[in-house]
Every structure is written in structure tokens, then in C-alpha cells.
Amino acid sequence: MTERINGGGPAMWRRINFVGIGVFALGLVLWELAVRAKLLDFSYLPPPTGVAVGLGELSSSGELWTALAHTLVAALSGWALAGVVGVAAGAVLGLVRPVWRYSMASLEALRALPIVAFVPVAVLLFGFSVQMEILVSFYAAVWPILLNTVSGMRTEARMVEVGAVLRLSRPAQLWKIRLPAATASIVVGLRLGLSIALVLTLVAEMVGNPAGLGATLVNKAQALQPGQMFAGVFVIGVAGIVLNGLMMGAARLLFRGQLAASGEV
């Protein structure tokens, strides 16, 4: 009982990749030494200490937090909308074979379209606005969520036969067999969609809507302030790691049994 109660702490520490953190820290040290020793001869490549100074400047001015908030709101809004649409449409496509058969060609054609090429289309539809960013992040995130949901809903025939033997109705089979079996795949799709939505939101801000952290990166590069530019890159990377960790923590809390059965926990 004691191990079960107190096991959360050690289990949490076991999930931390200390070796990977050490390698990352070593890479920063080597980067610093290489720049200072002129082994890396780039005009605008700052050492990590210069990036830290740039981070402090962006933070103190308040520019960083305003831009980051804008980017996160757009990315998470598009991702949440993609989650609702992707899971609902994926469930229908995975459960109803005729729907999948008639729509498969159209879906494959749309999925093959490079997501970056969709940015000018979004600009034409919504102009330079946050709605454009949300549309781009939605379009980027919906595909991994949709396809993983379709894959998860196609439960093994043996599990469906068990439901038939137990005389479960179709809604009961969906709720008790198919959805639990598909949970791990849906969570994977949501994780992939979150990362892609964040990346494409930055791209939309760089080439479309001049706002948010993406526009800040472009502005700092054009102003020849590499320390602040790299600081923005660092912040968006940390934001992606934090968002992924929060999502996985929520998934383990809500769907621990399903994820444990699939080996995700």
C-alpha cells in the first residue's frame, strides 16, 4: 500500500530522461566553447550566454509574453477544434465502411496537399487575422488525429466477436469495446496534432499574419538581434515540451487503464 501511495514520486522521476538532459547540457557547453574559440565562424551565431541575455531582454520588455500568448491561443484553438472534428469524423470513417470507401480518395488527395501550401489559401479566405492562424493550425492538426482515430476504431475481429457473444448492443460495443481500444491511438494522434499545430501556427505568423512569436522571430532576424531571435526559438521549444507533458499527464489521469493496456503508461 505504501508503495502504491508513494509510488507516484519515483514513477515520475523514472520518466525523466536524465541522460538526455545531460547530453543537452553538454551540447550547450560545447556550443559556448566553440563560438568563443571561433571554431564556429558565423557572423550572427550567439553563444548560449548571449541567448540567455536576449531572453532576459525579451522577458523584461513584455514582448515575449504577449507574442507567446497570441501563438498559444491560436495553436490551441485550432488543435482543440481539430480534436473534436478529427475524433468524430474518424469514428464514423472507422466504423462505417461505406463512408470510408466513398470518401477515401478525396481524403487522400487532401492529405497529400503540403500543409504550408495551404497558408496562402487561408490568407485569401480570412486575411491577416488570428482566424487565419486557427484555420491553418486546424488543417495541420486534423489529419494525424483523424487517421489515428480511424485506425483505432478498427478493432480486432475477436473483440467484436466477444461483444456479440455477450449480446452487447451497438452503442454498448462502441462504448465498452471500440472506444477503450482506440484510446491509445487517439491520444497519439492528439499528441502529433498538437506539435504540428504549433509549428504551422508559427509558419502562418511568419508568412501570413504579422503577429505572435513567429513574427517576432522574423523581426528579430531582420533587426540583426540573433540573441533575442534564438531566445524566441528556445521559448517555443520549451512551450512545446510543456504542452506535450501536460497533455500526457491529463491522458494518464483520465485514461490510465486504456493506456496501460496498450503499453503507453
Side-chain angles (χ1 to χ4, degrees):
M1 179 67 68
T2 303
E3 182 180 357
R4 179 176 298 179
I5 294 176
N6 299 326
M12 180 184 68
W13 287 108
R14 284 195 298 269
R15 293 194 186 102
I16 299 177
N17 186 357
F18 290 103
V19 176
I21 294 174
V23 171
F24 179 74
L26 178 61
L28 292 179
V29 172
L30 294 176
W31 177 7
E32 180 83 22
L33 295 176
V35 171
R36 293 189 178 277
K38 306 297 183 181
L39 296 178
L40 292 176
D41 189 16
F42 295 98
S43 300
Y44 299 105
L45 178 64
T49 52
V51 176
V53 172
L55 180 60
E57 293 171 350
L58 278 178
S59 300
S60 60
S61 67
E63 181 180 1
L64 173 64
W65 308 116
T66 302
L68 180 62
H70 178 95
T71 299
L72 292 181
V73 167
L76 292 176
S77 299
W79 172 73
L81 182 60
V84 174
V85 173
V87 172
V92 173
L93 291 169
L95 295 174
V96 185
R97 292 285 179 171
V99 175
W100 170 255
R101 186 163 53 250
Y102 288 119
S103 61
M104 180 179 62
S106 300
L107 291 175
E108 289 296 330
L110 289 173
R111 189 170 68 90
L113 175 68
I115 299 174
V116 176
F118 186 72
V119 176
V121 177
V123 172
L124 287 176
L125 293 176
F126 290 98
F128 301 107
S129 64
V130 68
Q131 289 81 4
M132 181 273 294
E133 297 179 41
I134 293 174
L135 178 61
V136 171
S137 64
F138 163 80
Y139 187 80
V142 74
W143 295 111
I145 299 173
L146 174 69
L147 296 176
N148 276 275
T149 302
V150 171
S151 177
M153 283 295 175
R154 291 177 175 174
T155 314
E156 293 183 5
R158 291 182 179 179
M159 298 181 67
V160 178
E161 291 173 0
V162 169
V165 170
L166 296 176
R167 296 182 179 179
L168 296 177
S169 63
R170 287 186 176 274
Q173 288 186 25
L174 174 63
W175 184 252
K176 295 183 178 181
I177 296 179
R178 292 186 182 273
L179 277 177
T183 299
S185 294
I186 295 173
V187 169
V188 170
L190 289 171
R191 291 179 66 188
L192 292 173
L194 180 58
S195 300
I196 297 174
L198 190 58
V199 171
L200 266 296
T201 301
L202 286 174
V203 173
E205 292 171 348
M206 289 178 180
V207 302
N209 188 29
L213 201 54
T216 299
L217 296 179
V218 174
N219 293 337
K220 297 307 177 183
Q222 293 175 343
L224 301 181
Q225 294 179 321
Q228 295 187 16
M229 187 201 72
F230 276 93
V233 173
F234 171 77
V235 168
I236 199 63
V238 172
I241 294 173
V242 171
L243 289 176
N244 182 71
L246 290 175
M247 194 204 138
M248 282 307 301
R252 290 190 180 102
L253 182 64
L254 297 174
F255 310 111
R256 185 172 185 85
Q258 294 90 327
L259 297 180
S262 64
E264 292 290 332
V265 176

